[in-house]
Amino acid sequence: MHEHSAHEGHGWHAGHHGQGWRPAGPRHRWLEPFVLVLIADGTRHGYGLIGRLNQAGVAPGTLDVGELYRTLRELEVAGLVRSTWATPPGGARRREYELTEPGETRLGEWAEVMRERARLVGEFLQAFEELPRGMGPAASATEV
């Protein structure tokens, strides 16, 4: 895995209950793994991506459409996705996206990063739950 491709500039930090992950860097760069996995899963156009990203709580509040399209442009320039114009029956013309082979490789790299982050979050939560009663979750709830 290319360490720089998945780690640099991300500053990964967990958000608070239901707000997803918050980046320390530009949010549109943070969207990359989510956009790649949704395109791989069959969501091919911008409005579908916005809906699924908002449903997943990737950004606190509602995701800015401009951020999504900047991310899609960057992914296309980098050769990770390609787009074509399509006109669905009875619908307006729209740009549809698909992963390229390098995009599939990058998605695999992101999966490795996310697995490691999930392991670390699990380790943290286990240590937190094992704190003495005066410092653990029950104390946090009563001290607020």
Side-chain angles (χ1 to χ4, degrees):
M1 179 170 93
H2 305 310
E3 289 293 320
H4 69 280
S5 65
H7 289 288
E8 288 181 11
H10 292 292
W12 305 62
H13 300 285
H16 296 283
H17 309 282
Q19 294 183 357
W21 291 74
R22 292 186 180 180
R27 188 182 312 169
H28 67 273
R29 179 73 177 104
W30 166 247
L31 289 175
E32 179 181 305
F34 295 97
V35 170
L36 291 174
V37 77
L38 291 176
I39 291 172
D41 190 39
T43 304
R44 302 278 189 229
H45 57 91
Y47 287 113
L49 289 167
I50 284 282
R52 292 197 59 196
L53 290 164
N54 284 332
Q55 183 179 20
V58 170
T62 302
L63 180 66
D64 179 78
V65 175
E67 290 182 80
L68 172 63
Y69 284 104
R70 279 191 297 278
T71 299
L72 288 166
R73 276 195 304 274
E74 289 173 3
L75 292 173
E76 193 162 17
V77 167
L80 302 176
V81 301
R82 70 175 142 266
S83 68
T84 55
W85 284 102
T87 307
R93 192 169 181 228
R94 65 186 185 193
R95 193 172 284 276
E96 293 191 347
Y97 298 87
E98 65 181 332
L99 291 188
T100 61
E101 190 173 323
E104 291 173 6
T105 299
R106 178 72 63 91
L107 179 57
E109 292 171 352
W110 274 114
E112 290 178 37
V113 168
M114 295 298 194
R115 282 186 195 104
E116 177 60 11
R117 293 300 184 254
R119 184 192 68 76
L120 290 171
V121 167
E123 293 285 337
F124 169 82
L125 290 174
Q126 181 178 348
F128 181 74
E129 297 298 330
E130 292 173 359
L131 287 173
R133 202 134 168 76
M135 296 179 67
S140 299
T142 58
E143 292 174 7
V144 174

